[in-house]
């Protein structure tokens, strides 16, 4: 069957315009003028208040299954993703058990995900002490890259790479990708108590800046391709820009919480806001937006990292004891759009940050764009619509956005030409390289 999506506003080639998006089977086959007659097709007509977007691609999601499925699982995470207009996620190698640090663990992860997913799912591998010799095998088994921590990860089964250079040399040998949680443990102190300002002080911006500088030096020495995850310190932006200008192959992401929240607004004791690295001050947030606008920051992804409610230590409000992670997979698009529109950014820019560039990072050439040959992954957004954050599809009910009014209502999501309703898990397990280089 041929389906034609017709809308006055379609994000195509970096801009909005009227269009008819023609879908045959699972692929987009043409983008035509809106009123073009396509004989025998079924029409899907968008409302005057709706925009057709490519499905978002979120390359930073902690699903946690198997092993910690009570925190989050593939069924709940992918339903939440679809409800937020996300049609592809890439799952992090922790905090599942076993962590995805070898091919056997990857197969355990894939088996756990199979048949449960409402959206397409890919996987990162892990780089930990002692497994550099196995990174090529993970790459050949289809992971999109390998992640390391340069500081304690919070779970003992995924120890940090205090010296990432051996892993970088191995990754460079097969032109893979290493992504890094960059904080310098020598500059981080133990956190305790209810004061959010004390928690931020325990993980200062200098710890990020230092770790990123070291990562960039190692990347320059090895020629490896690297990606900095969840940047929260705007102080690292000049060094990142300089390294890129000098030929270092580095890309950078930030997250909705760093773009929407500020340290000044976090109530003492409200550990729903705890994440590592932390949400910082308003001036820092403004500088991150500037880095996003000028291209130093490439993309925005969720770092969805939920846990069971007890691990957030809400009863004590102790930021030192609470798990660090923010549940936001379903809310990333409206959170970013609410702040972006206030700052004068367009939906086309948001699509570039949250769909096109994450897809490019992991080589998913048929994802993140509305273009002939791409998968028919689509989202229908009412950008001027508002809603108050309430019940979510995430397994964890805790989020710092609870009760907030946000702009951007996702009214429908389509995966490879089929509407996603959460009851028919059509999501596929993706492998690096299957959509071309």
């Amino acid at each position: 069957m041929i389906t034609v999506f017709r809308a006055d506003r379609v994000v195509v080639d970096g801009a909005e315009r009227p269009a008819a998006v023609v879908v045959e089977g699972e692929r987009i086959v043409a983008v035509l003028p809106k009123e073009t007659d396509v004989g025998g097709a079924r029409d899907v007509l968008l409302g005057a208040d709706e925009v057709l977007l490519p499905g978002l691609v979120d390359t930073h999601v902690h699903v946690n299954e198997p092993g910690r499925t009570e925190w989050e699982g593939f069924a709940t995470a992918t339903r939440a993703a679809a409800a937020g207009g996300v049609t592809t996620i890439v799952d992090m190698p922790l905090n599942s058990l076993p962590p995805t640090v070898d091919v056997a663990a990857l197969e355990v992860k894939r088996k756990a995900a199979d048949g449960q997913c409402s959206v397409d799912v890919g996987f990162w591998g892990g780089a930990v002490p002692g497994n550099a010799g196995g990174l090529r095998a993970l790459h050949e088994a289809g992971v999109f890259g390998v992640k390391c921590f340069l500081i304690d990860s919070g779970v003992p089964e995924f120890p940090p790479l205090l010296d990432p250079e051996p892993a970088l040399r191995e990754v460079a040998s097969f032109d893979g990708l290493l992504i890094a949680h960059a904080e310098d443990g020598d500059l981080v102190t133990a956190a305790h108590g209810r004061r959010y300002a004390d928690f931020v002080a325990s993980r200062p911006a200098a710890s990020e800046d230092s770790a990123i500088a070291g990562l960039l030096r190692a990347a320059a020495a090895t020629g490896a391709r690297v990606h900095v995850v969840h940047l929260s310190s705007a102080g690292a932006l000049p060094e990142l820009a300089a390294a890129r200008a000098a030929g270092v192959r580095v890309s950078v992401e930030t997250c909705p919480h760093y773009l929407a929240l500020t340290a000044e607004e976090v109530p003492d004791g409200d550990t729903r806001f705890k994440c590592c690295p932390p949400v910082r001050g308003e001036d820092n947030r403004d500088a991150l937006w500037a880095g996003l606008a000028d291209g130093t920051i490439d993309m925005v992804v969720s770092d969805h990292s939920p846990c069971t409610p007890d691990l957030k230590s809400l009863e004590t409000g102790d930021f030192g004891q609470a798990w660090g992670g923010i549940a936001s997979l379903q809310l990333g698009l409206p959170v970013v759009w609410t702040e972006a529109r206030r700052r004068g950014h367009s939906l086309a820019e948001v699509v570039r940050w949250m769909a096109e560039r994450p897809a490019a990072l992991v080589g998913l050439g048929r994802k993140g764009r509305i273009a002939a040959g791409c998968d028919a992954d689509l989202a229908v957004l009412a950008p001027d619509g508002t809603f108050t954050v309430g019940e979510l599809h995430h397994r964890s009910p805790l989020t710092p956005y609870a009760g907030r009014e946000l702009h951007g209502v996702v009214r429908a999501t389509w995966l490879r030409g089929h509407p996603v309703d959460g009851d028919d898990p059509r999501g596929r397990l993706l492998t690096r390289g299957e959509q071309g280089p």
Side-chain angles (χ1 to χ4, degrees), residues 58 61-64 69-86 89 302-309 325-335 387 389-402 406:
D58 191 335
V61 179
H62 293 270
V63 177
N64 305 330
T69 309
E70 69 276 14
W71 294 20
E72 184 68 282
F74 286 102
T76 49
T78 58
R79 281 199 298 268
V86 177
I89 66 170
S302 69
D303 189 12
H304 176 69
S305 186
C307 63
T308 53
I326 288 178
S328 62
L329 179 54
Q330 184 174 334
L331 298 172
L333 176 56
V335 167
F387 68 101
V389 177
E391 187 175 350
L392 301 170
H393 291 281
H394 309 147
R395 180 155 289 162
S396 171
L398 298 179
T399 175
Y401 304 111
L406 299 175

Side-chain angles (χ1 to χ4, degrees), residues 327-359:
S328 62
L329 179 54
Q330 184 174 334
L331 298 172
L333 176 56
V335 167
V336 173
W337 172 236
T338 297
E339 188 66 17
R341 74 197 299 271
R342 186 177 75 83
R343 293 171 178 267
H345 293 288
S346 68
L347 265 177
E349 290 176 283
V350 172
V351 164
R352 182 166 67 247
W353 300 328
M354 302 189 75
E356 184 177 338
R357 286 180 177 169

Side-chain angles (χ1 to χ4, degrees), residues 8-139:
D8 290 327
R9 299 173 65 186
V10 181
V11 176
V12 181
D13 294 332
E16 286 185 29
R17 61 180 170 88
V21 178
V22 184
V23 172
E24 185 171 2
E26 296 187 342
R27 302 277 183 88
I28 298 168
V29 296
V31 181
L32 305 172
K34 182 190 172 189
E35 303 303 333
T36 303
D37 181 33
V38 180
R42 174 183 61 153
D43 276 5
V44 176
L45 302 176
L46 272 65
D49 64 336
E50 295 176 335
V51 183
L52 188 66
L53 310 179
L56 303 189
V57 177
D58 191 335
T59 53
H60 195 146
V61 179
H62 293 270
V63 177
N64 305 330
E65 185 177 4
R68 293 189 175 99
T69 309
E70 69 276 14
W71 294 20
E72 184 68 282
F74 286 102
T76 49
T78 58
R79 281 199 298 268
V86 177
T87 52
T88 302
I89 66 170
V90 185
D91 175 55
M92 284 291 166
L94 72 166
N95 305 297
S96 56
L97 294 169
T100 315
V101 296
D102 54 39
V103 174
L106 174 64
E107 290 309 309
V108 170
K109 179 72 73 76
R110 291 176 65 89
K111 184 176 180 180
D114 192 29
Q116 290 204 73
C117 300
S118 295
V119 302
D120 288 353
V121 178
F123 301 95
W124 296 106
V128 295
N131 83 331
L135 297 182
R136 182 183 292 270
L138 272 169
H139 178 79

